[in-house]
Structure formats: structure tokens, C-alpha cells
Amino acid sequence: MMTKEMYKKKMEKECEQKRIVESDPYRLKFHIQPPMGWLNDPNGLFEKDGIFHIYYQYSPFEPQGGTKLWGHYTTEDFIEFKEHEPFLFADWRYDERGVYSGSAFVEDGTIHYFYTGNVKLFDRDDYDYCNNGREQNTIHITSLDGFSHSEKQLIMTDRDYPADMSCHVRDPKIFKKSGIYYMVLGGRDVNSHGCLLIYRSEDLENWEEFDRLSIPDFGYMWECPDLFELDGELFLVFSPQGLEEDGLNNRNIYQTGYCKLDYDFQTKQCTFSKFQELDRGFDYYAPQSFEDEQGRRIQFGWMGMGDATYTNEPTIEKGWQHAFTLPRQLHAENGHIYQMPIEELKNLRDKTYRSTIGDFKDPNFGPCIEWDIQFDESVPFTIKMYGDIEISYDGKLLKMSMAESGYGRDWRAIEIDQIKDLKIMLDTSSIEMFVNNGWTVFSSRMYPKTAMNLSIESASEGTVAIHSLDSVKIENNE
Ligand code: FRU
């Protein structure tokens, strides 16, 4: 349990800890990160009346994770943020071990949230983490402003899920089509096959089983499903666990990617396109998207990875861990999702440096930069930064590699026929590289110890632009 009262009492004693976190040189300048402690998945994202609400899985007192609350930021422009008191606490019999991931859906001025209440019955003899001794409750609350909420309402328990499901069913997200609401939940059946459960409702209150989708032999658990239409195509983004490493693919312990679905909601006929990883870096998981008031589909991901062999030791030592990736706007073309940083981030730009590739010299703008490179020809290149971080292309393989700065992160790569452009967003301890206008992305944490020392070597002509980036502003509104 972590009630609001328990949180407030503990927080009063944490001033010194907060100061240590704030003075950490690896604290990010323009990413969402926990005020202290641990952050994982983005939750409950929406925009209402021009205000974006961004919630996240949050364990304020445990940088290695613990009982999860929903932390809360708001912003109107992605430059100035307000930090609020957590929105959801683990204060009820049905969510006592954590208010797990969930989403928001705005309808007629009311925000409907659905999330998973986690209960672990450790004192039961048959508790085995997977099939016994655990409850996954689907809970509904409403709010008019995103700050205060109605009473928690239990809408589904383990008894309501299909009988052959394990105790792993979670992370509800809503998709509306032709006046009907569909709730997707990620699941693991008793035979350890990952799947998607779909429920149907006409009023957001009463839910009935609608369908179950899966791909043969495709992981033991599917986490954080997100079903949405994008540029006229239907996509399922999800985070499967248990995929085999396959050459350059699936090199992280858990994956995040998407399939384009050909799904007939009448006949329930469904075909999945081939799964494609959304991000090829070391730290990307459990993303969530929402449609904003302008109709853009914006996605945040967790720039972290559970159970990875590589670490974030330098920040754990200071009492915090993890961040979100930058918000990305999504577009689709022929079944492929393109991802680029949202427009608003251009307002972080301060100084600008421009040159040709041949004449490039590091302008020494400090650790926060946006680095754009346009290649006239797709020929090999090598980009270096911080002495041991390298991005290379040999005409076929695009590779990001790290040594000590990676704290166990070694290399990730993808085959690409040609490279036209790169946008590299560097924050104090993160790198996000957008390739060919967002065709693919590499996101990673990194902990450099030396000066940045940027260089680029290539036989191609082309142009380089670097913008130094300001910090976002965060006002504490607790
Ligand atoms: C994904 C996840 C979700 C769960 C949440 C708990 O990272 O495991 O499936 O709801 O994190 O924090």
C-alpha cells in the first residue's frame, strides 16, 4: 500500500534526497524524468482544453522500483511543465500492490481512466507469480480536470477474463470505432502464450468479451497494447516478452513494436503484418500514444528496459532512475510507422551552427543539442562523440555502439539500403537518433565521462546543422 497520507508523510523527510537528485549532472534537461525515485511506463495521456496530462508509473522512494503510483506532469507547450502530486495511489484492496499501467479516454468533457490494480497475495501457499496468488483488476475512474477523480470502480477481475488466462492480464487502452468502445488488454495464457484480449462496450461502463488475438509462438506475454488508426491504417503497438533473438532483431531482453492489422470488427477476421520493432536502441519499452486536439498522434515511450543486463548505475546512486523518450508524432505509410520529435521541441533551440560535412568542426555547444545531418550520397560514414560512442554505416549496416559510457550497452544495428538524413537529439545522459525522417529510431541512455568531441567522417557531400537546446522548465505544483 502507498496511500496519499503515507506518501505525504514520507515526502516531508525527503528534502535532502530531492536536492541530491536535482544536483546530479546526469539529470536530463529536456526529457520527462521522475522528480526522484523510479519511473517506467507512460500512462493516461490526453489533451483537454489545451492542457496535456502526462502520467507515469512512479515509485518515488525506490530508484530500483517498488509500489507503483501514477506520477503527474502537465504542459501546454512541451517547454514549460508543472509537476503535480501523484494522481493515483495504491490505497485500495484492489490495487494495494500498485496502480499499474492504464490509459485515458476523453468523451463529452469527461476523462475516463482505465488501469490495472495489482494485488500479490504473497502469504498464500500457492503464490507462484504467474498462475496463482495474484489479482489483476481492471479499474475505472472518471475526472473532469485530470487532478481529482471519482471513486475507484472495479469493472473486471480475474474471474471475468477467459478461464485459460494466467494472472497476467493488464494495461487497458481504449479504441473507439463506429460508436463502439473497445478495450484492449495485454495477456499471458496458462500455456505462456502472449495475447491481446478485446472487450466491447457501448457506454464505457459495461464490458463484454469480444475477441482474443495472438500470433503463434510469439512471446509468452504481451504488455501495454495500443490499438489505433493512423493515416487510414489500423496498428497494434505492443511490448511482447519472450521473443527469440533473431540476427540483428530482438536484441533487447524485451521488445516493443507493431503490426499493421487487417481486422474486420464484424467477422473478427484478423491478419497481422510482420512485427517491426519501433526503436532499435537499448532503452525503449511500453510506449503509449494519444490523439491530441489537433488530431496528431503523439507517442511517449519509456526510455528504459526492465531486467536488462546493462544498467543506469550513475543515476541509481543519486536516487533516481529512467526517463521518457521525447514525444514523437507518428505517421503511417504503406504499413510502416514513421516517428519524429513533435514540432514544439523546435522552441528549445538556441544557438545554431551550420557547415558542410567536409568542413564540420564541433561547435562545443554543451551536452544538449539537436544534430541534423543530410547526406548527398548514401556512402559509409562514422560519427563519434564522447570518445567511445560511435554511429557507423558501411553502406548496408547502420550501427550504434558504446563502450564504457554505455554501462553494459554494447551495440545495436539495422540493415538499411540508403541513408539520407539523421537527426540526433543529445541530452546529458541520453541519445535518440531518428533515421531517414523517422523511418527508424535508436534510443538509449548513456553516461559519458569526457568532453563531447563530435566528429563526422564521410566521403559524401552534405550539410550539418547543430542547434544548442535549452532546458524545459518545471514548476513544482504539489
Ligand atoms: C510494463 C509493465 C506493465 C505494468 C507496469 C507495472 O513496463 O510491466 O505491464 O502495468 O509495467 O509498472
Side-chain angles (χ1 to χ4, degrees):
M1 281 258 188
M2 174 66 71
T3 63
K4 191 176 192 161
E5 292 67 37
M6 288 160 78
Y7 165 83
K8 286 198 153 172
K9 229 172 154 185
K10 258 191 124 168
M11 208 56 185
E12 277 167 19
K13 300 195 192 110
E14 297 288 340
C15 294
E16 173 60 9
Q17 182 51 42
K18 246 194 140 172
R19 201 195 52 72
I20 296 172
V21 170
E22 276 159 15
S23 61
D24 180 3
Y26 287 129
R27 221 39 204 157
L28 295 156
K29 302 286 189 218
F30 58 96
H31 284 81
I32 294 218
Q33 57 198 338
M36 50 188 265
W38 160 284
L39 163 153
N40 58 304
D41 314 352
N43 289 157
L45 308 174
F46 69 93
E47 182 189 12
K48 183 169 181 273
D49 306 326
I51 302 178
F52 294 88
H53 289 258
I54 302 159
Y55 307 88
Y56 55 94
Q57 288 285 285
Y58 184 30
S59 296
F61 310 109
E62 290 137 313
Q64 312 252 38
T67 302
K68 305 289 164 57
L69 312 180
W70 276 30
H72 189 190
Y73 288 105
T74 55
T75 183
E76 290 177 35
D77 55 10
F78 294 93
I79 305 293
E80 294 190 15
F81 289 82
K82 289 186 178 149
E83 176 192 320
H84 305 279
E85 179 174 85
F87 177 65
L88 285 176
F89 292 90
D91 55 6
W92 196 32
R93 141 89 189 83
Y94 296 100
D95 60 19
E96 64 186 14
R97 289 275 163 185
V99 283
Y100 270 19
S101 282
S103 54
F105 187 81
V106 186
E107 186 85 311
D108 299 330
T110 299
I111 311 146
H112 294 261
Y113 300 84
F114 297 89
Y115 71 93
T116 300
N118 181 256
V119 178
K120 288 180 185 148
L121 305 164
F122 289 125
D123 49 359
R124 250 175 56 173
D125 292 343
D126 62 350
Y127 173 82
D128 66 359
Y129 175 79
C130 205
N131 290 316
N132 296 296
R134 205 174 158 149
E135 296 175 7
Q136 299 290 310
N137 302 305
T138 303
I139 298 168
H140 178 204
I141 53 170
T142 58
S143 171
L144 293 176
D145 59 7
F147 297 105
S148 57
H149 62 80
S150 64
E151 269 194 23
K152 295 177 175 177
Q153 187 197 348
L154 192 60
I155 57 167
M156 277 192 264
T157 70
D158 291 273
R159 282 189 299 280
D160 299 298
Y161 311 132
D164 64 337
M165 293 307 291
S166 74
C167 297
H168 291 262
V169 173
R170 55 179 173 264
D171 311 333
K173 180 100 200 303
I174 307 297
F175 170 67
K176 187 178 179 186
K177 191 172 173 66
S178 312
I180 305 293
Y181 307 97
Y182 297 93
M183 178 193 292
V184 290
L185 287 157
R188 168 180 187 156
D189 73 13
V190 286
N191 299 312
S192 287
H193 292 130
C195 64
L196 182 81
L197 299 180
I198 310 183
Y199 287 80
R200 175 189 188 279
S201 171
E202 288 177 17
D203 56 11
L204 290 166
E205 298 278 336
N206 300 290
W207 294 91
E208 60 187 43
E209 225 172 292
F210 181 72
D211 203 0
R212 183 192 314 197
L213 302 179
S214 63
I215 304 172
D217 298 320
F218 204 72
Y220 59 80
M221 170 69 193
W222 290 9
E223 293 193 308
C224 298
D226 191 0
L227 182 69
F228 53 84
E229 274 170 345
L230 183 65
D231 300 319
E233 302 179 295
L234 181 68
F235 289 95
L236 176 68
V237 168
F238 60 114
S239 295
Q241 299 182 316
L243 300 188
E244 294 280 312
E245 188 174 325
D246 167 21
L248 300 174
N249 299 328
N250 307 341
R251 298 213 357 120
N252 291 342
I253 175 164
Y254 306 133
Q255 272 56 56
T256 289
Y258 63 94
C259 296
K260 174 174 150 43
L261 298 192
D262 220 331
Y263 188 40
D264 184 326
F265 284 81
Q266 249 66 52
T267 63
K268 302 185 187 172
Q269 286 295 316
C270 185
T271 48
F272 285 71
S273 74
K274 191 168 176 287
F275 179 78
Q276 300 191 56
E277 288 176 71
L278 263 177
D279 192 296
R280 309 293 300 204
F282 299 90
D283 296 287
Y284 191 78
Y285 197 68
Q288 185 175 103
S289 73
F290 68 105
E291 193 177 288
D292 76 354
E293 290 179 324
Q294 296 173 40
R296 296 182 294 179
R297 182 148 297 269
I298 298 177
Q299 182 186 59
F300 278 100
W302 171 30
M303 191 156 50
M305 181 60 61
D307 306 322
T309 49
Y310 38 89
T311 74
N312 302 299
E313 247 167 64
T315 72
I316 297 172
E317 275 169 18
K318 296 284 165 68
W320 70 284
Q321 187 172 196
H322 298 311
F324 283 175
T325 55
L326 292 172
R328 303 172 182 176
Q329 183 174 352
L330 307 184
H331 284 297
E333 239 180 84
N334 300 325
H336 190 92
I337 297 183
Y338 289 77
Q339 313 163 69
M340 282 299 268
I342 58 168
E343 279 292 305
E344 285 89 330
L345 300 181
K346 290 188 178 151
N347 296 324
L348 290 170
R349 292 175 181 173
D350 182 16
K351 291 180 284 216
T352 299
Y353 162 92
R354 290 183 199 281
S355 79
T356 60
I357 290 179
D359 289 338
F360 178 74
K361 283 201 185 54
D362 186 348
N364 286 314
F365 277 170
C368 297
I369 58 165
E370 175 177 352
W371 188 9
D372 284 312
I373 307 169
Q374 306 275 343
F375 298 95
D376 290 352
E377 269 179 284
S378 183
V379 292
F381 62 77
T382 307
I383 293 170
K384 288 193 180 156
M385 60 194 87
Y386 290 116
D388 73 354
I389 300 178
E390 192 173 289
I391 292 153
S392 62
Y393 183 58
D394 64 4
K396 195 167 160 211
L397 200 69
L398 175 67
K399 187 167 169 186
M400 175 185 279
S401 54
M402 302 184 181
E404 267 168 57
S405 304
Y407 276 76
R409 293 162 182 83
D410 47 10
W411 61 271
R412 294 289 181 266
I414 189 171
E415 277 187 14
I416 304 190
D417 290 344
Q418 53 167 331
I419 296 199
K420 297 187 193 129
D421 56 79
L422 297 178
K423 179 188 283 299
I424 303 174
M425 306 290 287
L426 287 170
D427 200 336
T428 49
S429 56
S430 72
I431 173 166
E432 286 152 284
M433 176 169 76
F434 299 82
V435 184
N436 288 348
N437 208 18
W439 181 81
T440 193
V441 190
F442 286 63
S443 301
S444 183
R445 298 306 297 279
M446 45 141 209
Y447 301 98
K449 302 219 167 28
T450 62
M452 196 181 235
N453 216 353
L454 302 176
S455 70
I456 171 164
E457 266 174 45
S458 172
S460 171
E461 291 295 313
T463 56
V464 179
I466 297 192
H467 304 281
S468 67
L469 299 178
D470 286 339
S471 305
V472 294
K473 289 172 196 62
I474 299 171
E475 184 191 313
N476 188 322
N477 239 48
E478 270 213 18

